[in-house]
Amino acid sequence: MQLTVTDDHTRSGWLDQFDPRLRLLTALLFALTTVSLQQTPLLLLVLAASLLSALFTGLTGSLLLKRLLAMEGFMILLLIMLPFSVPGDSLFTLGSFSASTQGLERVLQIVLKANAIVIMLMTLIGTLEPVVLGHALGQLRLPEKLIHLFLFTVRYIGVLFDEYQRLRMAMRARAFVAGSNRHTWRSFGWLIGMLLVRSLERSQRILAAMKCRGFNGRLYLITTEHWQRRDSVILSILSLFFLLLLLSDHLL
């Protein structure tokens, strides 16, 4: 589940010396600040800051490009339609539709904000081990049920994928070839149904095993991480920097 970086798979050791809660709070403040900014130069500044952070962490360019392309593919329809739906000065026309300069500026802002936030999240949170991230969320007093759901999802999503792979292998062993016909869609429907049934059965076995080990509905998060003075200093400095960005955006 951890992001793949460089040759040794991690060069984020300089981040590991800080409390994970600091990384979560920094990512949250960065996202809130970036979303609030409206000036393009400041958005370019935060994008450059996120790219530098990813570079120092050791995230490879190919990994960043792959993740960003997945996000851009999701946003492509919005980015295409927005210039034609925002009123303003006409930039060019396409048939009976007119694209506005204000709409194009809005598209640029959305692209800069989304990329800056995603890159920073990959840098600060994506390089955390899932268990460490769950413990940090618990120390921040987030709802226990939400944390349990996150930890169980991380733990068993690979198990469900393995189950899906076994079912697909069984289908291929029976000479199943996917196509655009009724038999294919019915077969995939049975596949999804069997995956749900087996997931339910496995969840019941897991719950029974946990009850045998004294599970009472609560997971106790044991961690050796301690908030230090340097974490408070860094958080204060970053908060001041984000505040200056917001003030600059308001004054420009």
Side-chain angles (χ1 to χ4, degrees):
M1 295 299 296
Q2 193 175 9
L3 288 179
T4 305
V5 294
T6 62
D7 293 335
D8 57 358
H9 300 286
T10 179
R11 268 179 27 196
S12 58
W14 68 277
L15 279 177
D16 295 336
Q17 61 183 318
F18 302 108
D19 194 292
R21 287 170 291 179
L22 174 63
R23 295 163 67 169
L24 288 174
L25 293 174
T26 301
L28 176 61
L29 291 176
F30 180 87
L32 293 176
T33 302
T34 302
V35 169
S36 302
L37 295 177
Q38 299 298 328
Q39 302 298 326
T40 302
L42 294 178
L43 291 174
L44 290 172
L45 177 62
V46 296
L47 177 60
S50 62
L51 287 172
L52 287 176
S53 300
L55 178 63
F56 288 136
T57 306
L59 296 178
T60 61
S62 59
L63 175 63
L64 288 176
L65 183 61
K66 179 181 178 181
R67 296 300 176 93
L68 292 177
L69 284 177
M71 180 192 67
E72 304 298 350
F74 177 76
M75 298 176 57
I76 188 71
L77 183 60
L78 171 65
L79 300 179
I80 292 176
M81 298 296 297
L82 196 58
F84 297 95
S85 58
V86 175
D89 302 328
S90 179
L91 181 64
F92 65 90
T93 58
L94 185 63
S96 59
F97 299 98
S98 177
S100 64
T101 304
Q102 289 77 3
L104 191 61
E105 292 176 352
R106 186 74 59 83
V107 167
L108 179 60
Q109 290 180 357
I110 292 176
V111 170
L112 293 176
K113 290 180 181 181
N115 284 276
I117 292 173
V118 169
I119 293 174
M120 187 60 74
L121 289 177
M122 285 194 295
T123 302
L124 295 178
I125 300 180
T127 52
L128 279 174
E129 291 289 345
V131 175
V132 175
L133 177 57
H135 286 190
L137 293 174
Q139 290 179 308
L140 290 174
R141 299 296 187 269
L142 266 70
E144 287 189 359
K145 291 184 178 179
L146 178 62
I147 299 173
H148 296 170
L149 179 62
F150 169 75
L151 292 176
F152 278 120
T153 301
V154 171
R155 171 63 180 85
Y156 290 104
I157 192 170
V159 176
L160 295 180
F161 181 74
D162 292 339
E163 189 67 35
Y164 167 78
Q165 292 287 78
R166 285 193 291 269
L167 291 173
R168 288 287 287 135
M169 184 179 298
M171 294 174 68
R172 288 193 296 268
R174 291 167 174 80
F176 172 77
V177 178
S180 181
N181 51 60
R182 183 178 179 181
H183 172 70
T184 297
W185 294 114
R186 183 170 55 186
S187 299
F188 279 120
W190 282 108
L191 171 64
I192 296 174
M194 286 302 300
L195 183 62
L196 291 175
V197 170
R198 295 195 179 187
S199 300
L200 179 60
E201 292 176 349
R202 183 177 289 271
S203 67
Q204 292 174 344
R205 292 198 300 269
I206 292 171
L207 178 60
M210 293 176 66
K211 287 183 176 180
C212 289
R213 292 166 173 81
F215 177 68
N216 59 357
R218 181 180 181 184
L219 294 179
Y220 296 92
L221 303 177
I222 302 175
T223 179
T224 58
E225 300 290 344
H226 298 286
W227 186 272
Q228 301 182 18
R229 179 178 298 179
R230 65 181 179 187
D231 298 316
S232 300
V233 172
I234 293 175
L235 183 60
S236 300
I237 295 174
L238 291 175
S239 300
L240 180 60
F241 173 71
F242 294 141
L243 180 60
L244 290 176
L245 282 177
L246 293 174
L247 291 177
S248 300
D249 182 72
H250 179 71
L251 296 175
L252 288 178

